[in-house]
Amino acid sequence: FFRLMSVVWYALGLLLVTLVGRVSSLKGKAKVRKLLIDAEAQAVEGECRLPNEQNEAHHWLTEGSRLHKAGELTDAKACFVSALQANPKSEVAWAHLGALYQKSGDESRAQTLFAEAKGLAGHVCTRHVHVWHFLGPFPIGKMEQDGDPVAARGGIQNVPVGVGSYHSEYGRNGRVGWTTFKGDHKGSVNFQFPQVNWNELVQSLGGMAVLEFQGWAVGDWMV
């Protein structure tokens, strides 16, 4: 009995030591991550301007990507640093920032940031998109004129994620906006819109064609 109890207490002791070590390791990584972000913030020379309500990481990422494509690398770097300040665990923001340093010829700094991105993602490439930002739903089908609902605004790449509403017969008061969906561990995601009264639409229009819809799903995938 005493030998069994000793084994149990020994096992519990090992488990406690493992848990304490794990917590200490996580705290250590978080501290290093903060030091890296603080260093980047102090080195920022550009400026990233967004409306006050756009203060989440994906807002900064969207603007940073737009500026990167436009060749405004200094301001893009400021956006990615802001994204990391909003969410230090954004592996996509770390990867974007690393890509900017690589493009400027600072390979050493780039690899440091890529390593942080890899550490957060668990591997070189993210296998699935776990968080989707969906804009819609918008009408489409035989009785509708097909087209990109945000083409007039320069396409989805120029639309700020999570902000604004758009005309659609599916929405309350004739407008729809962004909805966030989370996928499972296999990457599957189920898009549902409980705010849309599908039965009423079918009955009022006298057909099932109204159940056809379109929209944009935006997510981050690190390569």
Side-chain angles (χ1 to χ4, degrees):
F1 174 77
F2 290 109
R3 180 178 299 175
L4 177 61
M5 289 299 296
S6 298
V7 171
V8 171
W9 282 113
Y10 177 72
L12 288 175
L14 285 178
L15 178 61
L16 180 61
V17 169
T18 302
L19 290 175
V20 171
R22 175 64 175 170
V23 171
S24 299
S25 176
L26 290 174
K27 287 183 177 179
K29 289 180 180 179
K31 187 175 181 179
V32 171
R33 199 173 295 135
K34 186 178 184 306
L35 290 173
L36 284 172
I37 295 173
D38 290 343
E40 291 299 329
Q42 292 177 3
V44 164
E45 298 177 355
E47 187 176 14
C48 188
R49 294 183 178 181
L50 285 176
N52 291 334
E53 68 273 13
Q54 298 182 32
N55 56 5
E56 296 184 20
H58 61 263
H59 296 144
W60 300 110
L61 282 171
T62 300
E63 181 64 8
S65 297
R66 185 189 69 79
L67 292 169
H68 191 179
K69 291 177 182 177
E72 301 177 35
L73 304 187
T74 303
D75 290 341
K77 185 181 294 184
C79 286
F80 295 136
V81 171
S82 294
L84 287 173
Q85 289 175 323
N87 179 15
K89 293 184 178 181
S90 173
E91 69 271 16
V92 177
W94 286 107
H96 272 301
L97 196 56
L100 286 178
Y101 274 103
Q102 191 174 56
K103 197 168 187 176
S104 66
D106 192 340
E107 189 64 31
S108 176
R109 188 63 175 174
Q111 291 305 317
T112 298
L113 300 176
F114 285 147
E116 193 66 34
K118 181 181 178 182
L120 288 166
H123 29 67
V124 178
C125 299
T126 50
R127 301 190 182 193
H128 310 293
V129 177
H130 296 289
V131 179
W132 289 98
H133 305 284
F134 186 89
L135 177 58
F138 299 99
I140 193 175
K142 298 177 181 178
M143 304 301 293
E144 304 288 346
Q145 181 177 356
D146 294 345
D148 185 351
V150 295
R153 303 197 182 195
I156 192 64
Q157 65 272 16
N158 292 316
V159 173
V161 176
V163 178
S165 61
Y166 303 80
H167 293 292
S168 173
E169 64 188 52
Y170 293 122
R172 294 173 182 172
N173 300 318
R175 301 188 73 85
V176 296
W178 292 88
T179 307
T180 300
F181 297 94
K182 292 185 177 181
D184 59 21
H185 67 285
K186 295 181 179 180
S188 299
V189 61
N190 185 18
F191 294 108
Q192 294 182 336
F193 310 97
Q195 71 276 21
V196 179
N197 192 331
W198 299 104
N199 290 331
E200 182 180 336
L201 286 170
V202 170
Q203 292 173 7
S204 62
L205 297 176
M208 303 291 286
V210 71
L211 297 180
E212 299 179 28
F213 66 87
Q214 64 173 323
W216 277 103
V218 180
D220 295 315
W221 187 41
M222 188 178 72
V223 179

